[in-house]
Amino acid sequence: MGTLDNDLFLRALLRLPTERTPVWIMRQAGRYLREYKATRTRAGDFMSLCKTPELACEVTLQPLDRFNLDAAILFSDILTVPDAMGMELRFTEGEGPLFDKPVRCRADIEALNIPDPEDELGYVMDAVRTIRTALDGRVPLIGFSGSPWTLATYAVEGGSTRDFNRIKSMIFDCPDDAHRLLSLLADVVVDYLNGQVAAGAQALMVFDTWGGVLSPRDYSEFSLSYMNKIVANVTREAEGRRVPIILFTKNGGQWLEAMADSGCDALGIDWTTSLSEARRRVGDRVALQGNMDPAILLSSPDRVRQEVKAVLESYGSGPGHVFNLGHGIHQSADPENVAVLVDAVREFSESAARATSRGLTAPGPLVDAVR
Ligand code: CP3
């Protein structure tokens, strides 16, 4: 395990100075790329792609070969964890994920398997090792997991949902069952993330896609408390370097201070919260990752450049920003616009860093036009 050619992403997450703003894109390997669709066809289906380390490695590298990205993210899915716990995951065309054995009562929870990362989830650890070898120090590799709350929504609902009725019934009517499930999931996620770090992941991200559907009190009790447990128990150093951990609650803008209290290194921010406001609220406690609206990629290259500039200006000068979208890229996004985005981040942030180092601009975030 050698040195890194480009460690901008890791330095920015630790709020260390960088010569430009690093950039990667959530779901950067996916259906908006024709080469991804070709590899998925070769694999047969999505889960076979996840379960074949050589093919997972191939699609992980595809966006890096096209765009000047500063990080790779393990190609996998958050739902590998409930699958390994025995819920039998299937992806059906057009319908998204489905579990043949959802968790509906205490007996279902007690019957769950506690997977060993190197056994039931060994294909993920093999993918991490294969990708690290193939990257050969080009950029750092991000490992990830779903948050216990977000995994529980899929496990209890049996798939995607609009209303979250089943999981909400569980937290309101049988909170002890919900806590039992969430604490099992938190333990499994800690082992899973630590397995990924042992296999070579150099940063971690926890996706709490559905924390934002909870009331503030329920968010604290059923989502954030379990993410706190994860932050407190994951490996924070490997290969002589800090392993930064990023927490991302979609629609969690109102809870940033509480999330920063977890002790994580960085927060993912969606586009409904401005970076300047987020920065004002969390101060120098954590780095920020985000937050361009993914739908901007459906508009013109000029509009993309304009928005990249606005996002960079909203963060302002000084260290601690990783450029990203505020959520995953849409499958109808034009790859040409992704190239425009990545190049614009480089161009605008390099010139801003040069100007700041020559003392040409006043440091500090610009005030957003709209609040
Ligand atoms: O960022 C990356 O490039 C890494 C890969 C990655 C995938 N899923 C690949 C994927 C990551 C980090 C995820 C996380 C994930 N998966 C989340 C959290 C992040 C988020 O977007 O909120 C969630 C909620 C899931 C669950 C999931 N996986 C759903 C609901 C679906 C179906 C969506 C759909 O449009 O069909 C998936 C499938 C999935 N995961 C795809 C990809 C590239 C598309 C599957 C395909 O190729 O057919």
Side-chain angles (χ1 to χ4, degrees):
M1 299 254 172
T3 50
L4 266 172
D5 300 335
N6 172 352
D7 66 354
L8 289 174
F9 169 70
L10 297 181
R11 281 194 275 141
L13 289 176
L14 301 180
R15 308 188 72 266
L16 296 169
T18 55
E19 45 286 17
R20 60 179 176 80
T21 304
V23 52
W24 70 281
I25 288 174
M26 283 191 260
R27 299 256 189 131
Q28 62 192 22
R31 287 171 294 190
Y32 74 105
L33 293 177
R34 61 179 181 285
E35 58 271 33
Y36 169 84
K37 286 189 273 193
T39 310
R40 195 187 61 170
T41 303
R42 265 201 288 143
D45 57 54
F46 174 70
M47 278 313 282
S48 308
L49 179 53
C50 292
K51 291 186 176 180
T52 313
E54 292 67 32
L55 296 182
C57 175
E58 185 176 306
V59 295
T60 299
L61 298 184
Q62 286 169 350
L64 300 173
D65 292 338
R66 260 191 196 247
F67 316 114
N68 259 318
L69 296 161
D70 297 301
I73 180 161
L74 159 71
F75 188 84
S76 189
D77 197 85
I78 61 167
L79 302 180
T80 53
V81 164
D83 183 52
M85 293 173 82
M87 292 173 225
E88 299 185 6
L89 173 64
R90 287 187 290 132
F91 278 89
T92 54
E93 207 57 50
E95 274 186 275
L98 282 177
F99 287 107
D100 288 330
K101 294 188 182 165
V103 176
R104 295 277 157 80
C105 62
R106 187 67 175 227
D108 294 340
I109 297 170
E110 297 309 334
L112 289 171
N113 176 50
I114 304 301
D116 175 340
E118 287 291 351
D119 185 3
E120 293 95 324
L121 290 161
Y123 64 91
V124 179
M125 307 305 136
D126 288 340
V128 171
R129 285 184 278 264
T130 308
I131 297 163
R132 263 304 290 275
T133 304
L135 280 172
D136 194 26
R138 254 166 96 181
V139 290
L141 176 61
I142 307 165
F144 70 88
S145 169
S147 72
W149 166 256
T150 291
L151 294 175
T153 68
Y154 288 98
V156 174
E157 299 286 342
S160 299
T161 172
R162 275 167 192 275
D163 49 33
F164 300 89
N165 284 342
R166 286 195 159 102
I167 182 73
K168 287 198 175 183
S169 298
M170 188 185 276
I171 67 172
F172 297 139
D173 299 333
C174 315
D176 293 349
D177 291 354
H179 281 299
R180 174 80 179 135
L181 174 61
L182 290 163
S183 85
L184 282 178
L185 284 167
D187 292 344
V188 171
V189 166
V190 166
D191 288 349
Y192 183 53
L193 291 175
N194 286 342
Q196 292 181 39
V197 172
Q202 291 150 298
L204 297 172
M205 177 154 169
V206 178
F207 288 91
D208 186 30
T209 307
W210 301 119
V213 306
L214 292 167
S215 72
R217 203 170 1 94
D218 293 330
Y219 174 72
S220 166
E221 180 176 344
F222 295 100
S223 183
L224 184 58
S225 61
Y226 293 96
M227 291 200 284
N228 289 342
K229 203 166 151 187
I230 291 166
V231 173
N233 288 287
V234 290
T235 312
R236 301 295 282 276
E237 205 179 304
E239 303 173 51
R241 277 191 93 120
R242 176 99 170 169
V243 179
I245 180 163
I246 309 160
L247 297 187
F248 172 58
T249 293
K250 173 104 191 306
N251 284 315
Q254 60 176 319
W255 302 313
L256 300 179
E257 293 88 342
M259 295 174 75
D261 284 340
S262 67
C264 67
D265 299 282
L267 297 177
I269 309 289
D270 70 44
W271 63 95
T272 64
T273 300
S274 85
L275 287 180
S276 60
E277 192 205 312
R279 195 177 181 187
R280 190 166 46 70
R281 285 171 38 206
V282 300
D284 56 12
R285 291 195 293 156
V286 288
L288 299 177
Q289 174 174 281
N291 72 340
M292 197 176 98
D293 185 338
I296 298 278
L297 289 173
L298 309 178
S299 69
S300 68
D302 276 353
R303 191 67 188 79
V304 172
R305 279 175 61 84
Q306 199 186 330
E307 196 65 23
V308 166
K309 197 167 194 185
V311 168
L312 289 168
E313 287 181 351
S314 178
Y315 186 81
S317 58
H321 182 209
V322 172
F323 197 101
N324 205 317
L325 301 178
H327 197 207
I329 187 169
H330 295 174
Q331 60 170 310
S332 50
D334 181 352
E336 284 305 314
N337 271 347
V338 176
V340 168
L341 178 155
V342 171
D343 293 344
V345 174
R346 201 174 264 256
E347 181 190 332
F348 296 140
S349 68
E350 254 171 11
S351 59
R354 269 198 303 271
T356 310
S357 70
R358 283 196 243 106
L360 295 180
T361 52
L366 300 176
V367 177
D368 276 10
V370 188
R371 275 270 163 81

